[in-house]
Amino acid sequence: MAAVQGGLVDASEEKDIKTEPSSDGCGNNDTNDARPLSTSPGSNAPGGNAKTSSGSTEEQQTLLAVLQFLKKNNLTESVEILRREAGLPEDSLDLKGSDSSGASSGGSAGGVDGVGVDASALLSRVTVSSSAGVQAPMKTSGEDQPDVNVVLSAYSQQGDPALYETYYSGLKRFIETVLDCHRAELSQVFYPLFVHMYLELVYNNHENEAKSFFEKFSGDQECYYEEDLRVLSSLTKKEHMRGNETLLDFRTSKFVLRISRDSYQLLKRHLQERQNNQIWNIIQEHLYIDIFDGMPRSKSQIDAMSGSLAGEAKRDANKSKVYYGLLKEPEIELPLDDEDEEAENEEGKPKKKKPKKDSMGSKSKKQDPNAPSQTRIPLPELKDSDKLDKIMYMKEATKRIRLGPETLPSICFYSFLNAYQGLTAVDLTDDSSLIAGGFADSTVRVWCVTPKKLRKVKSAADLNLIDKESDDVLERIMDEKTASESKILYGHSGPVYGISFSPDRNYLLSSSEDGTVRLWSLQTFTCLVGYKGHNYPVWDTQFSPHGYYFVSGGHDRVARLWATDHYQPLRMFAGHLADITCTRFHPNSNYVATGSSDRTIRLWDVLTGNCVRIFTGHKGPIHALAFSPNGKFLASGATDGRVLLWDIGHGLMIGELKGHTDTIYALRFSRDGEILASGSMDNTVRLWDSMKAFDDLETDDFTAATGHIHLQDNSQELLLGTYMSKSTPVIHLHFTRRNLLLAAGAYNP
Amino acid sequence: MADREERRFAEVSRDSVKLMAESTGVELGDDLAALLAEDVCYRLREATQSSSQFMRHAKRRKLTVEDFNRALRWSNVEAICGYGAQDALPFRSVKEGELFFIEDRDINLVELALATNIPKGCAETMVRVNVSYLDGKGNLEPQGTVPTAVQSLSDDLLKYYQQITRAILGEDPHLMKVALLDLQSNSKIAALLPYFVYVISGVKSVSHDLEQLNRLLHMVKSLVQNPYLYLGSYVRSLVSSVMYCILEPLAASINPLNDHWTLRDYAALLLSHIFWTHGDLVSGLYHQILLSLQKVLSDPVRPLCSHYGAVVGLHALGWKAVERVLFPHLPAYWANLQAVLDDYSVSNAQVKADGHKVYGAILVAVERLLKMKALSLSQPTEGGSSGQPGSVTGAMGYRVSSPGLSPPPEPLSEAALGIASHLQAGGAGCPWEEWTPVPLPAMYCELYSFFGDSLAVRFSTGPGFGSYPPCTPSQLSDARKDPPGPTSNSETTRKMPQLTANLNISPRQDGSPRTDPPPPSLASSSLPRSRSSSSRSGQRSTGLSRDVFPKARFTSSQSGPPVFSFLIGGRQMGRHCQGRRPFQTTFAPTPPLSAIPPRAYAHKLPVIGRVGKPVRRWAYSHYSLHLPL
């Protein structure tokens, strides 16, 4: 799969995405680099030009590579200029290009891929020689090379491969002898150092040395890196590195460590004393050390936050302000007194409900200081039916059971029977009237949970016949003949991995392995739009709580924000280093959270498209996310079976819930946020006292400059109950408006 | 190699690559093969890794071929076809060449295409909701148990159901047989179970029609015997239907010409069969059933046929049930029965006949009780060394003999254990707590006071059959109360056929005590049951049981258990024809020994005659046993 990842099919579109991670990785990190975030390859051309001065064949090749890169990105003018300046014949580039594309087999994507790889190989060779000539380690990273990620990926060949083990064990010995308080912090260096040294050995074709190096030191690494180490150990040839996305990412992005100033000084002094340039260079080139003043962190503090593919989040990554407050609910008159009339209106004449914006002063709360302005994101106007639904919601809410440790919710389990085609995704409407399942056989099935049957709208010809003035026109447009308990939606050509109902229950979104997101109408039960933007499997999609917008994320590591009436995405959120496995909208629709296989969670601003939070701490791919109803907190569940709780405003981990023994696929807060329910592959639903978890926080902790918090291990206190299902993995959870917990999964006999 | 193992990877060796190359006609150098092998390994791992992603997102634990193919497809590699089967592929090895391969059998397409058993599509996917936890407490119903009733019936199943019920309840006996046989062995009718159970619960509505009742009971039997059916909670419903047949004063029994007795016997047999084979499911019911039987028995208003049902029911539940329920009730019940039997008025004739049936049933039950009790008492005396192996072979013998026999397969000895242990467990927590086992001699005396010689006769018939061959003459002569003589022996043989229907359970019961916990020793009979070996050895020294009881004599037989299994075979035939012949023929292996006890009893007969109750009663019992069953 990775090989294809490299293939940049839609050049103009993918270009930005591909360079984004790298700019995120290096551009931001280099403090002396004032380059704007949006990397324009054109602006880097001078850097490439600088190299043309020396006229060796290698320089020539570099030039060719730069040209190819430019051409690939359709920067024809730059190509022209460069070629003119360098005095290269016109056909040299084409010749090269056709050569490489011919050499690389496998489809059109592979062809383009071949060019890219070829270029990278060329460029890296250049870097090797140049850095070997000039012993300035900072030079390569400091400069902006044309193909930034490729150049940075090069490992300069320095030092004797046989000495790598000595270097590493020397450092190991040093770290083992430092004071206890520093040891934990400095130990963080081991893993990235180990990986980079190993890759360097592999890259320079010291296969045997690499093997022995790996065997000697892989056992020292933290257990949560086991997955990555396994990938690493299978990689023993330089050729293998080419297509391996994970490693590309590892090389291009800087591994972030947070180390206290004291510890850092210790390390620096040691390395400089020892003249240990090899290690020092790696630290300089590939590690980003986020130095803070204050007490060194303890082992447990570090362990809580580490585990992601690229180290911890930098502190400033989580500094920006997030408007996590909720939007003010539109004022709707709530006719509490007259329920019968209400029920009647619901079906018949919705026009009667005129919103009175400022009629009732009872609910007019002041605007939450943490809430975004009402118009920060343009939201769709409320339709009459939406208002009716809101009224229904409020009515139901008055009957809601207040949950707590003493009053746990009842659980209803929706079992999918005879789901031999493989249930892959489930969603329930907010009012719990419909349930939909995505299946591995590419179908989407919708069931009606209430006695009301699902009906299609009549055909156009039949619709012409009905009396449009009649009161029950909404009823008349439905075709009674099509009434059935369930409907099957055909259209995808691969397993449906994500599914989401629109808040107004008129639409259904489904994302599939075939790379599309489809929008289905629940009136006609047909596909309305196929959104094609992801070129790879789309793992998840979700509607905004206000409708209209939706987010999707998949194997291409880019989350996209769409509006239902645009066939192209409105925003692309790039930055994850591996697949985006799950996506969630913030309750105020201004933010999107994405969980990824790189074991990080990112929060993106819908308005600006920026990444405003990076949460690290999970030790496995994240498969479930849930925002608390008040928008302040985020819960995440991963394959490691742990649920982590995050404070969005402060950007900190505030809790860890241990108990599940397998991947958590479902997380949901109760309607008032007192209970967090988690459902897992281990066939259990667990209920957690989220109120307690949040209340126990001492907010003072957050104000501390270090921003490190002590997590107490109180999972057992917070666990309110464990509920077994019988061989039914829980893949979806939902609280009804009255706080009844619904769980869903396929019975696996 | 060591490092390779450490990494736990499947590796494709250089030789394999070379072989594969050769098979396509390419000659590869070693270096090239090694490089290729390494690359292949890496690509494989890469593909595996990305395929696992598809597995994770499909929320599965099992990596499928499809996942792998998807990974390949997304890496622009052609998918591998032909491995999509759900079942695991057999991976074979050839020993000589250390060659491993996947067996690829030829498939006869013609056969497949023309096959008549066209696979049915699987049932429709559906969503069902159940309240799993109410207020966060308690699991009302284990979630996920596919409620079989919920499964929609396919047309085929529906058809099957109609055909089967029609055949079973219809006129054609041959058709019925076929239907029952299919019901017994069909593995795909789980979904129909609730429907059949419902049909069977219709016994209450056809209580006037013996034939239908019989057929329904046969249906129960077939369902119970179907090894593919998990009866689950439906077993309760089945048991209640069976109990209905056993206990209720059926409308059919108003007409004396209707042989509802057989129905009751059969139902009792079925009940015991259910208990033997589905002990785990019905163990909770055991006490409930005992109680209801007891209730019927102690209710004088009930007709005698109900009482008869209660007695055979208890009998079916094993001698312990008899000991606990019937035996303590006997004195009270006896008075009523006596009154019936003593009434010679013409109007009472029918009732009296019924009374004799009850009398006979009780007799059979208590005799087996005595026999089994004696057996269980004497069991420990056989001691640690020889007793255990004997029980093992006994159990084995049962198992071997069971499958071939048609109507009720013989119970396994574990089942006996299950019930016995349950008896003890149940006894701990209910009104039976105060119940203490009556010592065998006392029991015998009491029973003897009721039944007199008729009891004694039956008592001695056991050895008469030759089931307990090695009894020493000296022991026999020692026995005080050894009752029977040649006449009684002939009596037995004469009565045998009538009693077989009831008796049939007893032989199979015989095996169970061997696995039972050791019963109390006679010496310390007032003590509760003791499992200690010391009491066993103590008992051995007392020899009291032998003095009091001739029974001990035959239980000392060690070749007993295998012989029992023979007995069963004989009984099967005995049910329908005159029982004696089959019994005799079956026990041909031990004729010389079987000859001894009758002779020994013969000496004792006069003594018994004197001690026993009035001759008149003896005659009655004699008469009663002549009633056709």
Side-chain angles (χ1 to χ4, degrees):
Chain A
M1 202 184 307
V4 187
Q5 269 276 276
L8 309 177
V9 180
D10 189 348
S12 62
E13 184 180 297
E14 294 284 333
K15 171 199 70 192
D16 290 338
I17 305 154
K18 280 297 166 187
T19 48
E20 197 71 29
S22 59
S23 60
D24 200 60
C26 74
N28 292 357
N29 305 352
D30 289 343
T31 40
N32 58 348
D33 179 21
R35 193 161 48 90
L37 215 148
S38 58
T39 311
S40 155
S43 68
N44 298 324
N49 281 337
K51 287 203 175 271
T52 58
S53 50
S54 53
S56 71
T57 47
E58 276 171 339
E59 304 292 83
Q60 191 95 20
Q61 282 178 326
T62 314
L63 259 179
L64 279 177
V66 171
L67 278 171
Q68 269 173 15
F69 178 83
L70 294 176
K71 193 165 186 203
K72 191 174 75 189
N73 290 317
N74 289 336
L75 301 161
T76 38
E77 275 184 39
S78 309
V79 174
E80 283 298 312
I81 295 166
L82 181 59
R83 203 171 45 221
R84 221 179 307 125
E85 285 185 3
L88 285 168
E90 192 155 336
D91 57 340
S92 65
L93 188 60
D94 299 331
L95 203 123
K96 194 76 206 166
S98 61
D99 250 14
S100 54
S101 62
S104 63
S105 58
S108 58
V112 185
D113 185 34
V115 178
V117 171
D118 210 338
S120 78
L122 282 170
L123 277 172
S124 56
R125 220 178 308 152
V126 171
T127 332
V128 168
S129 64
S130 69
S131 52
V134 194
Q135 285 287 350
M138 283 304 287
K139 195 186 170 195
T140 39
S141 63
E143 263 180 23
D144 278 318
Q145 297 295 339
D147 201 344
V148 184
N149 52 350
V150 175
V151 171
L152 270 182
S153 74
Y155 285 108
S156 43
Q157 185 177 16
Q158 293 174 332
D160 184 355
L163 288 176
Y164 274 52
E165 285 185 23
T166 327
Y167 290 147
Y168 189 86
S169 52
L171 183 71
K172 195 174 148 192
R173 225 172 302 122
F174 161 70
I175 290 177
E176 273 163 4
T177 52
V178 297
L179 289 176
D180 284 356
C181 59
H182 299 299
R183 194 185 305 147
E185 284 205 319
L186 291 182
S187 298
Q188 297 176 82
V189 179
F190 280 137
Y191 175 69
L193 211 55
F194 169 80
V195 177
H196 282 293
M197 288 174 85
Y198 177 76
L199 290 179
E200 220 168 282
L201 285 170
V202 171
Y203 189 82
N204 293 320
N205 289 323
H206 302 301
E207 198 178 321
N208 293 329
E209 284 88 349
K211 258 185 186 166
S212 91
F213 181 78
F214 188 89
E215 266 146 40
K216 201 160 178 191
F217 299 113
S218 65
D220 299 344
Q221 308 307 327
E222 299 284 353
C223 54
Y224 40 78
Y225 291 120
E226 206 180 327
E227 277 294 299
D228 289 346
L229 288 178
R230 201 177 304 151
V231 177
L232 209 59
S233 70
S234 70
L235 182 132
T236 51
K237 287 249 185 293
K238 187 179 173 183
E239 291 76 37
H240 296 161
M241 291 171 85
R242 249 184 218 168
N244 198 318
E245 279 301 298
T246 322
L247 294 171
L248 266 174
D249 289 334
F250 199 88
R251 287 185 296 168
T252 52
S253 62
K254 285 197 165 192
F255 196 94
V256 181
L257 300 171
R258 278 200 219 174
I259 292 183
S260 69
R261 190 170 294 285
D262 293 352
S263 304
Y264 179 69
Q265 296 295 351
L266 258 161
L267 178 72
K268 194 172 168 188
R269 210 177 310 131
H270 166 79
L271 291 175
Q272 280 170 351
E273 273 170 18
R274 290 296 197 80
Q275 300 283 307
N276 203 338
N277 280 331
Q278 190 64 35
I279 288 181
W280 185 240
N281 287 343
I282 290 176
I283 290 178
Q284 294 279 333
E285 280 179 46
H286 299 297
L287 267 55
Y288 178 94
I289 297 184
D290 193 4
I291 300 161
F292 62 86
D293 293 306
M295 279 269 292
R297 293 187 295 169
S298 71
K299 178 96 174 88
S300 62
Q301 277 176 317
I302 293 168
D303 281 348
M305 301 298 287
S306 53
S308 98
L309 195 62
E312 294 182 41
K314 289 186 287 275
R315 262 178 311 157
D316 17 323
N318 288 343
K319 282 279 182 267
S320 52
K321 167 124 178 106
V322 172
Y323 300 99
Y324 55 79
L326 299 183
L327 294 177
K328 215 162 67 174
E329 286 289 321
E331 300 283 349
I332 298 172
E333 192 187 358
L334 181 59
L336 275 171
D337 44 347
D338 203 351
E339 293 215 2
D340 294 303
E341 189 201 320
E342 171 54 39
E344 182 195 314
N345 285 333
E346 187 190 348
E347 294 284 311
K349 27 197 169 166
K351 293 213 165 171
K352 199 179 160 188
K353 288 281 160 291
K354 279 280 175 189
K356 296 178 183 172
K357 286 272 176 182
D358 43 7
S359 57
M360 308 256 289
S362 60
K363 275 209 162 187
S364 68
K365 291 171 279 184
K366 272 198 175 167
Q367 172 86 5
D368 183 344
N370 290 311
S373 75
Q374 211 73 11
T375 52
R376 190 165 179 268
I377 301 288
L379 293 172
E381 284 273 313
L382 279 185
K383 292 194 296 262
D384 289 335
S385 58
D386 297 334
K387 284 166 193 153
L388 277 174
D389 199 56
K390 283 242 182 296
I391 291 167
M392 281 304 289
Y393 176 78
M394 281 189 253
K395 278 182 160 181
E396 290 275 307
T398 57
K399 295 172 186 163
R400 183 183 295 161
I401 298 166
R402 190 147 181 90
L403 299 177
E406 302 308 316
T407 49
L408 294 177
S410 299
I411 305 177
C412 285
F413 207 107
Y414 284 92
S415 310
F416 285 72
L417 304 176
N418 306 321
Y420 303 111
Q421 57 283 80
L423 181 69
T424 45
V426 176
D427 195 32
L428 276 151
T429 54
D430 187 67
D431 67 350
S432 320
S433 63
L434 299 173
I435 188 169
F439 290 85
D441 68 351
S442 318
T443 58
V444 176
R445 287 156 203 257
V446 185
W447 283 269
C448 193
V449 176
T450 58
K452 220 167 132 190
K453 299 247 164 137
L454 298 174
R455 293 171 302 177
K456 286 184 192 177
V457 170
K458 285 177 182 162
S459 69
D462 291 339
L463 281 179
N464 269 332
L465 300 177
I466 60 172
D467 175 14
K468 287 156 196 80
E469 301 305 312
S470 74
D471 284 348
D472 59 346
V473 67
L474 286 177
E475 192 59 26
R476 290 191 183 200
I477 58 170
M478 306 313 285
D479 188 354
E480 223 27 76
K481 285 196 291 287
T482 59
S484 67
E485 203 178 286
S486 79
K487 292 263 186 267
I488 306 180
L489 307 174
Y490 297 102
H492 280 296
S493 61
V496 180
Y497 291 120
I499 207 166
S500 175
F501 278 108
S502 72
D504 59 5
R505 294 186 298 284
N506 283 325
Y507 305 104
L508 177 69
L509 274 175
S510 62
S511 70
S512 159
E513 191 245 15
D514 62 15
T516 62
V517 178
R518 282 178 186 273
L519 182 75
W520 309 84
S521 163
L522 297 180
Q523 301 294 334
T524 59
F525 293 97
T526 52
C527 183
L528 301 176
V529 196
Y531 299 95
K532 293 174 183 171
H534 293 276
N535 289 316
Y536 299 97
V538 189
W539 298 130
D540 199 10
T541 186
Q542 205 216 0
F543 253 113
S544 137
H546 296 87
Y548 186 59
Y549 299 108
F550 65 92
V551 63
S552 65
H555 179 65
D556 61 4
R557 304 181 288 168
V558 181
R560 286 169 163 80
L561 179 87
W562 311 74
T564 47
D565 56 0
H566 288 63
Y567 68 93
Q568 280 180 325
L570 305 179
R571 295 281 184 280
M572 291 206 263
F573 307 116
H576 276 297
L577 299 178
D579 298 28
I580 289 171
T581 47
C582 53
T583 53
R584 276 289 164 277
F585 253 101
H586 191 277
N588 67 17
S589 287
N590 278 255
Y591 296 92
V592 164
T594 55
S596 161
S597 297
D598 68 6
R599 306 186 286 272
T600 62
I601 298 152
R602 281 170 187 252
L603 191 72
W604 310 88
D605 190 334
V606 166
L607 183 69
T608 63
N610 288 336
C611 174
V612 289
R613 289 288 180 271
I614 303 174
F615 296 130
T616 62
H618 272 297
K619 314 287 189 262
I622 290 137
H623 277 273
L625 289 171
F627 280 97
S628 68
N630 61 11
K632 274 187 186 171
F633 305 103
L634 178 68
S636 60
T639 55
D640 57 10
R642 300 182 312 149
V643 176
L644 296 183
L645 302 174
W646 311 90
D647 182 291
I648 295 168
H650 298 92
L652 289 173
M653 188 197 297
I654 51 169
E656 179 186 14
L657 307 174
K658 284 187 265 191
H660 281 293
T661 55
D662 210 328
T663 307
I664 293 161
Y665 279 120
L667 278 173
R668 193 58 79 114
F669 281 95
S670 67
R671 292 283 172 163
D672 296 320
E674 310 97 332
I675 301 275
L676 173 65
S678 59
S680 154
M681 260 309 250
D682 64 11
N683 301 346
T684 59
V685 174
R686 282 171 206 258
L687 300 179
W688 310 88
D689 191 346
S690 52
M691 223 42 184
K692 187 164 176 223
F694 297 144
D695 286 348
D696 284 357
L697 288 177
E698 286 168 38
T699 38
D700 295 347
D701 286 349
F702 298 155
T703 53
T706 54
H708 309 129
I709 42 115
H710 296 270
L711 280 182
Q712 64 235 49
D713 186 14
N714 56 352
S715 297
Q716 287 316 306
E717 292 168 44
L718 297 176
L719 180 62
L720 297 177
T722 302
Y723 303 97
M724 297 287 295
S725 72
K726 192 181 164 199
S727 19
T728 310
V730 184
I731 64 171
H732 189 74
L733 288 170
H734 179 83
F735 275 96
T736 65
R737 289 172 173 177
R738 299 187 188 183
N739 265 339
L740 174 71
L741 178 56
L742 308 180
Y747 174 62
N748 279 343
Chain B
M1 205 57 209
D3 58 324
R4 282 180 181 179
E5 272 166 21
E6 200 173 274
R7 289 191 190 177
R8 286 167 302 174
F9 281 130
E11 301 233 355
V12 179
S13 75
R14 195 172 55 188
D15 296 337
S16 306
V17 173
K18 279 176 95 172
L19 265 175
M20 285 178 226
E22 273 170 34
S23 70
T24 52
V26 182
E27 202 63 36
L28 281 185
D30 270 4
D31 298 352
L32 203 53
L35 275 175
L36 269 176
E38 205 163 345
D39 197 57
V40 165
C41 292
Y42 175 74
R43 300 294 165 201
L44 268 179
R45 281 170 213 145
E46 201 181 29
T48 314
Q49 206 202 327
S50 30
S51 62
S52 72
Q53 229 167 12
F54 290 97
M55 175 191 73
R56 269 209 309 275
H57 282 283
K59 289 153 177 110
R60 263 185 282 117
R61 276 198 197 84
K62 195 171 161 190
L63 189 71
T64 63
V65 178
E66 211 173 314
D67 291 333
F68 205 86
N69 275 338
R70 283 186 204 292
L72 289 181
R73 197 157 66 83
W74 284 111
S75 330
N76 284 333
V77 178
E78 261 178 58
I80 301 167
C81 299
Y83 293 91
Q86 290 293 311
D87 31 310
L89 292 163
F91 200 55
R92 296 282 164 84
S93 67
V94 173
K95 271 192 188 125
E96 309 87 64
E98 277 190 40
L99 186 65
F100 296 88
F101 63 94
I102 291 164
E103 200 176 32
D104 209 356
R105 286 209 200 87
D106 287 341
I107 294 172
N108 189 342
L109 282 179
V110 178
E111 211 170 82
L112 201 68
L114 301 178
T116 47
N117 59 335
I118 296 154
K120 301 160 188 110
C122 51
E124 198 191 339
T125 309
M126 49 180 54
V127 184
R128 281 294 172 268
V129 66
N130 58 338
V131 179
S132 301
Y133 295 91
L134 202 57
D135 296 335
K137 287 182 225 53
N139 201 354
L140 294 184
E141 189 184 328
Q143 184 277 321
T145 48
V146 178
T148 35
V150 156
Q151 289 179 350
S152 67
L153 285 184
S154 66
D155 288 348
D156 302 297
L157 273 179
L158 207 62
K159 231 183 204 165
Y160 174 86
Y161 165 76
Q162 283 165 353
Q163 297 285 357
I164 286 280
T165 45
R166 229 172 267 163
I168 291 179
L169 301 178
E171 297 300 310
D172 187 347
H174 177 70
L175 211 58
M176 179 184 95
K177 222 172 262 176
V178 172
L180 286 174
L181 219 60
D182 190 72
L183 210 54
Q184 212 170 82
S185 54
N186 198 325
S187 58
K188 299 179 186 66
I189 53 168
L192 286 175
L193 181 62
Y195 296 83
F196 286 129
V197 168
Y198 178 75
V199 169
I200 289 164
S201 70
V203 284
K204 282 153 197 154
S205 55
V206 291
S207 77
H208 58 279
D209 189 344
L210 269 184
E211 186 59 25
Q212 295 285 43
L213 287 174
N214 236 324
R215 285 159 184 262
L216 288 174
L217 284 182
H218 274 104
M219 207 155 147
V220 174
K221 197 185 75 186
S222 292
L223 289 178
V224 167
Q225 279 180 302
N226 189 328
Y228 305 103
L229 277 183
Y230 176 74
L231 296 178
S233 52
Y234 293 112
V235 85
R236 284 174 167 267
S237 173
L238 291 180
V239 164
S240 83
S241 297
V242 171
M243 287 297 285
Y244 180 87
C245 290
I246 297 177
L247 285 182
E248 285 311 305
L250 304 170
S253 50
I254 293 167
N255 183 351
L257 294 177
N258 277 336
D259 187 9
H260 56 100
W261 308 104
T262 323
L263 181 81
R264 291 179 203 277
D265 287 337
Y266 182 61
L269 194 69
L270 210 51
L271 183 68
S272 104
H273 183 64
I274 292 173
F275 268 89
W276 287 119
T277 52
H278 294 78
D280 50 331
L281 292 178
V282 291
S283 59
L285 286 175
Y286 185 78
H287 256 88
Q288 221 173 311
I289 290 175
L290 277 192
L291 283 175
S292 64
L293 289 173
Q294 184 181 25
K295 219 175 95 193
V296 170
L297 202 60
S298 55
D299 184 357
V301 183
R302 292 256 186 174
L304 282 167
C305 53
S306 287
H307 291 159
Y308 176 86
V311 174
V312 292
L314 285 168
H315 187 60
L317 290 178
W319 63 274
K320 293 202 166 160
V322 175
E323 184 182 20
R324 284 220 180 162
V325 180
L326 181 59
F327 181 69
H329 259 281
L330 212 48
Y333 187 72
W334 194 255
N336 295 330
L337 189 60
Q338 186 85 50
V340 172
L341 293 180
D342 284 346
D343 186 349
Y344 287 101
S345 61
V346 179
S347 59
N348 192 44
Q350 184 56 44
V351 179
K352 194 154 77 96
D354 289 358
H356 281 301
K357 293 293 285 188
V358 179
Y359 176 86
I362 295 177
L363 190 59
V364 170
V366 297
E367 263 163 14
R368 197 173 51 121
L369 166 64
L370 283 173
K371 204 188 286 176
M372 296 314 299
K373 198 148 163 107
L375 200 64
S376 68
L377 286 176
S378 64
Q379 191 67 22
T381 61
E382 284 175 25
S385 59
S386 60
Q388 285 311 101
S391 72
V392 171
T393 55
M396 294 294 279
Y398 277 110
R399 247 171 248 161
V400 170
S401 67
S402 57
L405 306 170
S406 56
E410 297 312 317
L412 305 177
S413 44
E414 296 95 82
L417 229 189
I419 291 219
S421 59
H422 178 78
L423 245 183
Q424 281 170 337
C430 63
W432 309 40
E433 177 111 61
E434 57 267 27
W435 182 83
T436 48
V438 181
L440 187 50
M443 184 185 283
Y444 183 75
C445 288
E446 192 177 345
L447 288 174
Y448 194 80
S449 71
F450 291 132
F451 295 97
D453 286 350
S454 56
L455 177 68
V457 167
R458 298 294 304 153
F459 204 40
S460 59
T461 52
F465 285 127
S467 6
Y468 317 105
C471 41
T472 59
S474 68
Q475 273 181 320
L476 291 177
S477 56
D478 279 353
R480 250 193 309 127
K481 281 191 176 176
D482 258 3
T487 50
S488 69
N489 197 26
S490 69
E491 209 56 54
T492 332
T493 55
R494 199 150 46 83
K495 278 175 213 156
M496 203 41 224
Q498 287 92 31
L499 287 173
T500 40
N502 289 331
L503 188 67
N504 53 20
I505 296 144
S506 57
R508 79 162 76 136
Q509 277 292 76
D510 288 343
S512 56
R514 283 160 208 282
T515 48
D516 275 352
S521 70
L522 268 185
S524 55
S525 51
S526 59
L527 291 176
R529 292 163 170 267
S530 140
R531 285 165 190 262
S532 72
S533 56
S534 62
S535 76
R536 281 187 216 166
S537 58
Q539 192 192 2
R540 189 168 183 70
S541 60
T542 58
L544 181 60
S545 65
R546 258 155 242 201
D547 288 342
V548 178
F549 267 129
K551 288 301 109 20
R553 159 171 33 102
F554 52 76
T555 49
S556 65
S557 138
Q558 280 163 30
S559 57
V563 180
F564 286 133
S565 62
F566 276 97
L567 244 173
I568 296 152
R571 173 184 51 79
Q572 288 310 324
M573 300 187 59
R575 283 189 69 219
H576 303 294
C577 62
Q578 294 294 305
R580 195 183 187 308
R581 209 172 308 124
F583 276 106
Q584 280 189 326
T585 50
T586 17
F587 297 118
T590 55
L593 292 164
S594 68
I596 300 172
R599 238 185 293 133
Y601 288 123
H603 297 298
K604 298 290 162 189
L605 181 71
V607 186
I608 300 294
R610 252 181 285 127
V611 177
K613 288 266 165 179
V615 186
R616 192 188 48 162
R617 175 185 306 273
W618 191 85
Y620 289 151
S621 62
H622 172 208
Y623 173 62
S624 76
L625 291 169
H626 265 108
L627 281 173
L629 276 176

